[in-house]
Structure formats: C-alpha cells, structure tokens
C-alpha cells in the first residue's frame, strides 16, 4: 500500500497527521489537518525530514533515538514549527505502526493546543485580577466551598482575625475555624449562627461580631453561585471599630450649629477657656453678650419653621458682620446667641451692641416677605462681673432679661444690683441729677509727687458727692451709672469748669498747679468736646499747660482716625494728655506711638503687689521701660507704702500718686499740704 493511499485515510481524521519513513525519517504523507496547522503546502511537506518541523529538544532526541532503534513512541505536549517559524503548542503522539508486516512507519499525530492555552491564560489572568481585587478591598474575605472547606482568604481577613502565620498551611481548616471561634466574645452565639448558615446554602445575612480584642466586625455572608448553582460561600468582614471611632471624632468635632454654621456652645467654651487663661496672665478684659431676637416667636408661629430658619440665618449673618474676626458668635438655642468679644472693654462692647441693634433694626426681606426683628442684648464683662464663662453668661442673660422687661430693642450691661435691687439704681440716678441741680458735687485734689526730688508735679481732680440721704457716694459707683445713662456729659462739663476755675485760682495766686481731669469715653466722643475744652480754658484765661486730660485706653481704640485727629487738636491747644489706668485695657504700643500723649498712669492694680509680686514687678518695670522708649513720663497710682515708692524709684519711675502722700483733698486742705512740700 503506497503512502498516497494512506493519505485518503489520514485526511478523514480531524487531527493533524503525517506518516514518517522509519529509515529516512522523512515525511511520506500528510493530511489536510497538518497542512492547516503548520501552514505549509502538501508538496512542501512531503519529503521533508520530520526534524525540520521540530522545535523542542525533546523531539530532536526522540527522532535520534528512533534512528538508533532506541525508541518507537512518545506522547507529550510539545511544539511544532509552522510556515513562518512560529512555534505552535501541540499535544503530539508518535507511534510506530506496521502498515505491512515488513514495513514499519511512524504515525505522527498533533492536536493544536493554542485555543486551550489561550483559555488557560485568560483564566490565569482573571484569577490574578480576582486575587488583586480581593487583596485591594478593605474588607476581610473568606471563601469556602459548599462543604465549608476554605478555598481562599485574603490578607485583610488574616489581619482582622489576627491569624497566626501559616495557621492554615500547617493545621488545616479545623484549626482556622477553631481560631475564629476563640476570637469572638460570644462563642455560643457565633456557633449557632454558623450552623444556621451552613444548614441553609442560600442564606444571605449580615451580623456584627464582637471580638475579644475589642474589635467590632460586621460580617456579610452570601452564597457563591455559578451557573445558577450554589458552589460555595463568601464571607466578608468589615472593621467597624475605626468607623465608630471616626464617628465619635466627628461628633466631638461637631462644633458648629447645623442651621447657621456658627460655632456652638462647645467651641465657645474652648475659646473662652483660652481667653481666660491669657487674661489671668495679661490682665485683659473681654465681654460676653447675650442676644435674644425680639418678635422671633411671632415669625416662627405665623410664617412657619422653614421661614423662621431662614430669618434666623439672616439674623445670624447680620450679627456676625458686626463682629471682628477674633470674636466668636455662637447660637445657643432657638433665637438666642452669645457673642464673645475678645479683649473688649465696656466701651468696645457697647459699640458692638449698638451696631447689632442697628443692623437688626433694618427691615428683613425673606421670600419677598417684609418684616422687622430687632433684638435685646445683655452684656457681662470679665473680670468685673464674673470670672467663669457660665457665670458671665448668667450675668449677660440677666441683663438681657432686664432689657426685655423694659420694652426690648436695647442693650444693657449687667449690674450686680440687677439681681438685688433695681430700684436703687433708679433712685441713685435720680439722686445724682438732683445733686447736680443742688450743687452737691465737689472736687478733691490728689497730689502727684516726683520720685526724683519729692516736689509736687500736679494734682488729679477727683469728684466727690456727699448726699444727705445716701452719704458719701463713691465715683466708682455713680460714674458708671452716669456713663450708662449719658448723664456723665453733664458731670464731665461741670468737672471741667470747676477744675479750670480752681487751676486759674492757683495760677493767679502765683503757685500754679497742673490739674488733671478725668474724661469719660462718652464725653470725649461728643462732637464739641475739643471746642468745649478750648472755650473753657480760653474764657477763663488759663495757661493751657496747666490742664491735663486723663483718658482711658478704651477711648483710643474706638475710631482710630477720629480719635487721632481729636487728640492732635487737643494737643495743639497746649493741654497735655495722659492715659489713665494703663494696663487694664488695650496696652498696645502701636496705639501709644501714634498718639500725642505725654504721660502714662500705671493702674493701682499693678502697684498694689509691689515690691513682692513677681507678676506686678514684671508688668510695672516693662511699662516703665516701654514708656521711656516712647518718651512718656510715668505716674504710678495707688502708692500706699514706702516700699512701693522705693521700688518705683529704683525703676526710675517719674512720679507717684497715692495715700502714702495724700488722698484727694479739698482745695484748701491741699494748699496746706502744698506748703509743706519742697518747692
Ligand atoms: P482714677 O481716675 O484712676 O482715680 C484714682 C482713684 O484711686 C481715685 O478713686 C483715688 O481716690 C484712688 N486712690 C488714689 N490713691 C490711692 C491709694 O493710695 N490707694 C487706694 N486704694 N486708692 C487710691 P476715686 O476718687 O474713688 O475715683 C475712682 C474713679 O472714678 C477714678 O479712677 C475715675 O475713673 C473716676 N472718676 C473720679 N472722678 C472723676 C471725674 O471727675 N470724671 C470722671 N469721668 N471720672 C472720675
Ligand atoms: Mg484718673
Ligand atoms: Mg487711674
């Protein structure tokens, strides 16, 4: 039988086949399958040495062995060389067959493995992707088959359950499951749930496991389905511990009021705590303001809550606009706000309160509805009124309540009497006005003594009021009241006239004395204040240098430009300017440098502790050094002991004032004292 006849038989098979001559090892016949596989023509293939189709060394050795009579068959995966020298993966079988009893040939059969390889590679890469996905999730994943045999778990799973290294490799599934069970706090419940899950292959459920380590895991379990058949189960574990912690942090961080976005009471508390600590060191003051919207309830009731919310937001934003960046506005309840005015004094707080009243009095338009709101404000000052935030809020609230009682739309400072006897304030105010009419006010004069040579440098005029019914009323009591009611203007004018009159008497007597007059902020702000001073000294014919005006630091910070021009106008009259109670307000060098001021008066509060108190020593010596740098002279107030005086002297302080020398005295008594002082 010729190979050509075999060719027909070979062609009938779907595998790639060829016959190889046992002696020459050349191809005798091929089928269509091989032609298609290697891409070489029938003619080209027939007669070709079979080794020309081989690529793998294994095949080469095999054919050598065949030639040497050492081998006659092989079955394995190999490669075949194709037309363009590409190696095609194949499964190849070579067998010796006897076509005739004396004529063995080799039948070579090949199965193309390309498709299978491709499928395998695809599967491989998909598995790799899957593994990467499993590893990249934040959840721990455990996959089992339907029998509960572990098929896979990711690293996160091992982490969450704190799996000992190599647990699974060395001990198998039971050890793994025992480890998991030992980790949970409630093992019986855990086992119950596991048996429920394993008894129902289709069960999907979510539960939470508390581990002994304190970790909290959310477990989600789902059947794994392939071609609509359950083939296993996937467990995923998510660590809730961190999320819960984060949630707590977020809650702790929730420092803002949701509606207005303003800081809430918590944040206010923190800011005030910082300010309180600082104030204890630097003696700063601050204000707490309680703001309650008037008529808000009506709006809420008649126009609805969502409208009310928008009105609130608008009100909040208006109030916020009146504050400085360092201040804190916080909403404490429905229509109530608290403002914390950092380093503000009473004057500064009053300015803010007026601005808020003005802003809120302007008509509101929300959703094309016009309405008016207005508010009532209570003010409390640190440290005068109270020394803790809660107590300050309480004071401000009391003051606010008084405003409400008195017809709303206004502000009020807290007064201790508010709680005790409001009537007495009204009475005092009335008595004060009567005292003015009846001429019951007097001026006393307290000497200022040079620390260098003990000479008299000037006197401070201090108002005195002796009332038939009330007795001696301290200016510390009635001046603040007069400032609040505005009556201070009348008092101030009287003091100025009286002081100038007395100074003129001394000027004319040939023993001129510089007289210092205390000026209230409200008085200083009167549009005609400079004119009035000019007219008073002008009319009297007093040498301007014999009048000194004592201003408080709070005056200086109000409207800097306006203040500056006013101070320059006063200075150009020839009167001198001093800062009173230095250190209790805005002790800012920047201000001092700008203003035409010649003297600082160190407040009694800092002199009191001298020479022992370290803090007072530091403040006083720094103030004196600073004043020297700014070419200002310094008067220390409230000097009561020789030790205080000596210490101040050692710091080169220019002058002192205080009971050590003399309290304020009526003019004639002062004149006696003056006579005993060195000229
Ligand atoms: P001030 O201007 O700081 O006046 C100094 C105060 O300290 C005075 O209290 C004075 O009597 C007191 N003082 C003086 N030396 C000593 C001392 O050695 N020890 C002690 N413990 N105190 C001493 P006064 O007269 O009660 O006045 C209190 C405040 O009232 C003044 O503080 C000033 O702010 C205000 N005041 C007084 N007279 C007037 C005035 O005519 N117009 C205005 N606007 N305010 C005035
Ligand atoms: Mg004074
Ligand atoms: Mg003073």
């Amino acid at each position: 039988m010729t190979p050509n006849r075999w060719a027909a038989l070979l062609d009938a098979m779907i595998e790639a086949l060829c016959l190889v001559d046992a002696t020459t090892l050349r191809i005798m016949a091929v089928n269509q399958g091989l032609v298609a596989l290697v891409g070489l023509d029938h003619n080209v293939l027939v007669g070709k040495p079979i080794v020309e189709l081989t690529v793998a060394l294994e095949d080469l050795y095999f054919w050598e062995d065949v030639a040497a009579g050492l081998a006659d068959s092989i079955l394995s995966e190999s490669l075949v060389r194709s037309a363009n020298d590409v190696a095609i993966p194949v499964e190849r079988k070579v067998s010796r067959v006897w076509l005739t009893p004396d004529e063995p040939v080799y039948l070579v059969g090949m199965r193309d493995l390309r498709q299978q390889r491709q499928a395998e590679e695809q599967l491989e890469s998909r598995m790799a992707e899957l593994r990467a996905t499993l590893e990249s999730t934040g959840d721990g994943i455990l996959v089992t088959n339907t029998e509960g045999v572990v098929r896979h778990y990711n690293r996160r799973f091992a982490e969450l359950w704190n799996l000992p290294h190599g647990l699974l490799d060395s001990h198998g599934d039971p050890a793994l499951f025992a480890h998991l069970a030992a980790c949970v706090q409630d093992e019986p419940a855990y086992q119950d749930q596991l048996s429920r899950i394993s008894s129902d292959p289709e069960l999907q459920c979510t539960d939470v496991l508390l581990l002994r380590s304190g970790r909290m895991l959310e477990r989600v379990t789902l059947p794994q389905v392939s071609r609509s058949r359950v083939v296993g189960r996937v467990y995923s574990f998510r660590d809730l511990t961190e999320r819960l912690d984060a949630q707590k942090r977020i809650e702790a961080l929730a420092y803002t009021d949701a509606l207005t976005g303003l800081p809430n009471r918590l944040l206010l508390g923190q800011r005030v705590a910082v300010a309180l600590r600082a104030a204890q060191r630097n003696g700063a003051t601050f204000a707490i303001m309680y703001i309650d919207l008037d008529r808000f309830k009506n709006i809420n009731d008649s126009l609805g809550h969502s409208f009310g919310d928008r009105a609130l937001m608008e009100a909040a934003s208006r109030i916020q606009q009146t504050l400085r960046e360092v201040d804190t506005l916080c909403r404490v309840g429905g229509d109530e706000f608290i403002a914390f005015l950092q380093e503000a004094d009473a004057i500064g707080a009053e300015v803010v309160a007026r601005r808020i009243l003005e802003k809120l009095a302007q008509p509101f338009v929300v959703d094309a509805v016009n309405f008016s709101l207005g508010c009532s404000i209570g003010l409390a000052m640190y440290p005068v009124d109270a020394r803790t935030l809660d107590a300050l809020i309480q004071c401000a609230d009391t003051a606010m309540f008084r405003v409400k009682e008195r017809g709303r739309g206004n502000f009020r400072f807290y007064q201790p009497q508010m709680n005790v006897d409001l009537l007495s304030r009204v009475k005092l105010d009335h008595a004060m006005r009567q005292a003015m009419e009846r001429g019951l006010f007097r001026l006393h004069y307290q000497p200022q003594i040079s620390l260098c040579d003990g000479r008299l440098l000037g006197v401070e005029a201090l108002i005195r009021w002796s009332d038939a019914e009330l007795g001696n009323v301290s200016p510390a009591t009635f001046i603040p009241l007069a400032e609040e009611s505005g009556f201070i203007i009348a008092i101030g004018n009287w003091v100025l006239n009286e002081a100038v009159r007395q100074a003129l008497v001394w000027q004319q007597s040939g023993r001129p004395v510089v007289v210092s007059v205390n000026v209230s902020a409200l008085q200083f702000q009167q549009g005609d204040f400079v004119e009035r001073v000019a007219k008073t000294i002008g009319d009297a014919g007093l040498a301007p240098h014999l009048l000194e005006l004592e201003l408080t630091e709070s005056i200086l910070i109000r409207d800097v430009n306006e203040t500056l021009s006013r101070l320059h106008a006063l200075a150009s009259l020839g009167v001198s300017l001093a800062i009173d109670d230095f250190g209790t307000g805005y002790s800012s060098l920047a201000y001092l440098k700008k203003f035409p001021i010649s003297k600082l008066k160190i407040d009694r509060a800092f002199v009191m502790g001298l020479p022992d108190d370290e803090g007072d020593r530091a403040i006083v010596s720094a103030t004196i050094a600073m004043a020297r740098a700014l070419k200002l002279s310094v008067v220390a107030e409230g000097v009561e002991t020789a030790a205080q005086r000596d210490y101040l002297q050692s710091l080169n302080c220019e002058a002192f004032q205080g009971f050590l020398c003399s309290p304020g005295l009526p003019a004639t008594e002062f004149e006696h004292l003056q006579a005993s002082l060195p000229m």
Side-chain angles (χ1 to χ4, degrees):
M1 207 152 68
T2 65
N4 284 345
R5 289 184 47 214
W6 287 106
L9 184 61
L10 296 184
D11 267 338
M13 321 287 270
I14 56 167
E15 276 191 330
L17 295 166
C18 67
L19 285 177
V20 175
D21 185 285
T23 333
T24 63
L25 298 187
R26 284 176 187 269
I27 296 171
M28 296 158 62
V30 296
N31 73 349
Q32 202 43 49
L34 189 71
V35 169
L37 178 66
V38 299
L40 289 172
D41 243 20
H42 200 269
N43 309 343
V44 181
L45 283 168
V46 173
K48 218 184 207 335
I50 183 69
V51 291
E52 285 189 14
L53 290 187
T54 62
V55 178
L57 273 180
E58 192 190 10
D59 291 60
L60 221 53
Y61 292 146
F62 169 75
W63 290 116
E64 266 176 28
D65 287 353
V66 168
L70 296 174
D72 55 13
S73 65
I74 187 170
L75 169 63
S76 62
E77 288 189 1
S78 180
L79 297 164
V80 63
R81 190 188 304 277
S82 74
N84 36 18
D85 264 354
V86 173
I88 298 169
V90 289
E91 187 181 34
R92 168 268 298 119
K93 182 175 183 182
V94 180
S95 3
R96 189 160 58 171
V97 291
W98 298 84
L99 299 180
T100 58
D102 54 333
E103 193 189 354
V105 290
Y106 289 90
L107 176 63
V108 180
M110 286 182 254
R111 197 157 59 83
D112 190 346
L113 291 183
R114 276 178 298 187
Q115 252 181 0
Q116 188 185 329
R117 282 287 150 81
Q118 205 182 348
E120 278 168 8
E121 271 163 28
Q122 260 174 11
L123 193 64
E124 181 76 11
S125 89
R126 234 181 288 157
M127 285 298 287
E129 271 173 33
L130 187 65
R131 268 195 299 273
T133 311
L134 283 182
E135 289 304 340
S136 68
T137 134
D139 295 342
I141 307 271
L142 173 70
V143 185
T144 67
N145 68 11
T146 40
E147 273 72 56
V149 175
V150 173
R151 288 178 45 211
H152 185 77
Y153 64 84
N154 66 359
R155 231 169 304 160
R156 180 69 177 144
F157 172 81
E159 260 167 42
L160 287 177
W161 286 93
N162 211 4
L163 288 195
H165 195 64
L167 175 87
L168 203 62
D169 306 340
S170 51
H171 303 92
D173 293 0
L176 173 81
F177 290 121
H179 174 83
L180 302 187
C183 283
V184 296
Q185 283 190 11
D186 187 352
E187 196 178 333
Y190 172 77
Q191 298 291 14
D192 278 358
Q193 178 70 343
L194 273 194
S195 49
R196 202 161 76 84
I197 292 170
S198 63
S199 67
D200 181 357
E202 310 224 331
L203 183 73
Q204 303 189 3
C205 66
T206 301
D207 54 2
V208 172
L209 303 174
L210 266 175
L211 304 194
R212 289 182 195 280
S213 61
R215 227 176 204 150
M216 186 185 269
L217 298 184
E218 180 187 61
R219 173 175 63 181
V220 177
T221 168
L222 294 172
Q224 193 184 25
V225 178
S226 174
R227 300 178 193 221
S228 36
R229 212 164 50 84
V230 175
V231 295
R233 184 162 279 286
V234 181
Y235 298 87
S236 80
F237 300 89
R238 178 166 295 182
D239 193 354
L240 297 182
T241 330
E242 286 163 19
R243 203 164 62 183
L244 289 182
D245 286 352
Q247 208 162 333
K248 271 189 217 145
R249 270 203 308 280
I250 290 165
E251 274 164 26
L253 283 171
Y255 281 133
T256 48
D257 168 39
L259 176 66
T260 55
L262 290 175
N264 61 14
R265 179 72 171 71
L266 195 63
L267 186 52
L268 175 76
Q270 293 191 355
R271 295 202 179 153
V272 171
V274 173
L276 278 171
R277 278 197 297 277
Q280 275 150 17
R281 269 182 278 114
N282 65 15
T285 59
F286 64 77
I288 291 291
M289 191 182 255
Y290 208 105
I291 307 161
D292 188 299
L293 302 183
D294 298 332
R295 285 185 292 278
F296 182 73
K297 196 176 174 307
N298 293 348
I299 285 164
N300 230 1
D301 291 350
S302 56
L303 295 164
H305 284 272
S306 96
F307 187 92
D309 282 353
R310 262 164 300 157
L312 265 183
M313 280 154 76
E314 168 71 17
S317 118
R318 286 194 194 181
I319 299 172
Q320 182 82 71
Q321 283 163 26
T322 66
L323 303 179
R324 301 166 303 171
E325 218 156 300
V326 293
D327 299 331
T328 301
L329 178 64
C330 123
R331 189 166 78 115
V332 281
D335 61 344
E336 297 182 358
F337 299 83
I338 291 179
F340 158 48
L341 310 182
Q342 187 115 17
E343 295 201 11
D345 58 5
I347 310 244
E350 181 184 330
V351 174
V352 176
R354 288 191 194 282
R355 257 191 266 147
I356 293 175
L357 287 169
E358 202 179 291
K359 275 261 180 195
L360 289 186
Q362 285 158 19
F364 281 71
V365 185
V366 171
D367 288 355
V369 178
N370 275 280
F371 61 98
S372 66
L373 216 48
C375 69
S376 301
I377 301 175
L379 285 157
M381 300 302 302
Y382 171 88
V384 189
D385 296 329
R387 290 176 173 269
T388 65
L389 175 60
D390 284 343
L392 284 163
I393 290 177
Q394 187 66 54
C395 293
D397 189 22
T398 305
M400 186 278 291
F401 192 69
R402 277 287 130 76
V403 177
K404 290 262 185 210
E405 272 181 346
R406 297 292 188 88
R408 316 193 155 135
N410 209 338
F411 74 95
R412 212 162 231 282
F413 280 90
Y414 171 75
Q415 298 286 336
Q417 303 96 306
M418 273 181 178
N419 292 326
V420 193
D421 184 9
L422 182 74
L423 260 182
S424 77
R425 278 165 58 76
V426 180
K427 239 163 64 187
L428 192 65
D429 188 73
H430 183 70
M432 193 165 60
R433 289 166 199 267
Q434 268 196 337
M436 178 64 86
E437 275 170 29
R438 296 182 186 166
L440 295 182
F441 290 118
R442 294 278 176 274
L443 284 186
H444 282 188
Y445 300 91
Q446 184 176 35
Q448 295 176 357
I449 304 296
S450 164
L451 278 167
C452 178
D453 50 19
R455 280 186 313 134
L456 177 79
L457 295 180
V459 293
E460 176 176 5
L462 295 164
I463 192 165
R464 295 290 175 259
W465 169 23
S466 181
D467 189 270
E469 206 180 308
L470 300 168
N472 287 336
V473 187
S474 160
T477 308
F478 70 84
I479 294 287
L481 183 68
E483 279 172 340
E484 204 183 316
S485 67
F487 192 59
I488 189 70
I489 308 292
I491 294 181
N493 291 340
W494 177 83
V495 171
L496 183 65
N497 283 328
E498 176 60 14
V500 166
R501 190 196 59 75
Q502 182 61 58
L504 184 73
V505 171
W506 287 326
Q507 175 185 298
Q508 287 169 345
S509 75
R511 294 197 76 178
V513 179
V514 178
V515 177
S516 265
V517 169
N518 290 289
V519 176
S520 260
L522 196 62
Q523 198 184 347
F524 181 80
Q525 275 142 26
Q526 298 303 301
D528 63 350
F529 179 68
V530 178
E531 256 169 70
R532 183 176 289 273
V533 172
K535 185 165 168 10
T536 310
I537 51 178
D539 288 355
L542 179 72
H545 75 273
L546 293 178
L547 179 67
E548 184 177 68
L549 300 178
E550 289 190 11
L551 311 168
T552 59
E553 288 170 87
S554 58
I555 288 179
L556 307 181
I557 53 113
R558 287 194 80 163
D559 177 346
V560 177
N561 289 332
E562 174 58 28
T563 303
L564 196 58
S565 73
R566 220 165 260 204
L567 291 175
H568 278 294
L570 288 169
S572 65
L573 292 178
V575 304
S576 49
L577 301 171
I579 298 199
D580 201 2
D581 305 342
F582 185 78
T584 58
Y586 286 76
S587 323
S588 163
L589 259 178
Y591 287 125
L592 294 181
K593 261 196 330 215
K594 272 192 208 162
F595 299 129
I597 278 157
S598 52
K599 190 189 272 183
L600 289 188
K601 298 188 75 178
I602 299 182
D603 193 66
R604 198 167 72 220
F606 304 109
V607 173
M608 218 141 57
L610 296 181
D612 300 324
D613 186 287
E614 205 179 316
D616 287 350
R617 277 206 311 266
I619 291 169
V620 170
S621 60
T623 305
I624 292 172
M626 184 188 79
R628 179 148 315 111
L630 293 169
K631 303 202 168 29
L632 301 174
S633 67
V634 180
V635 178
E637 292 184 291
V639 175
E640 296 181 351
T641 68
Q644 289 169 341
R645 181 195 57 201
D646 295 346
Y647 180 74
L648 288 160
Q649 202 165 25
S650 77
L651 293 177
N652 288 328
C653 178
E654 275 84 4
F656 81 97
Q657 186 181 336
F659 296 168
L660 178 66
C661 171
S662 163
L665 299 171
T668 46
E669 284 179 42
F670 163 73
E671 285 160 12
H672 287 128
L673 174 71
Q674 190 188 17
S676 69
L677 292 172
M679 289 286 278

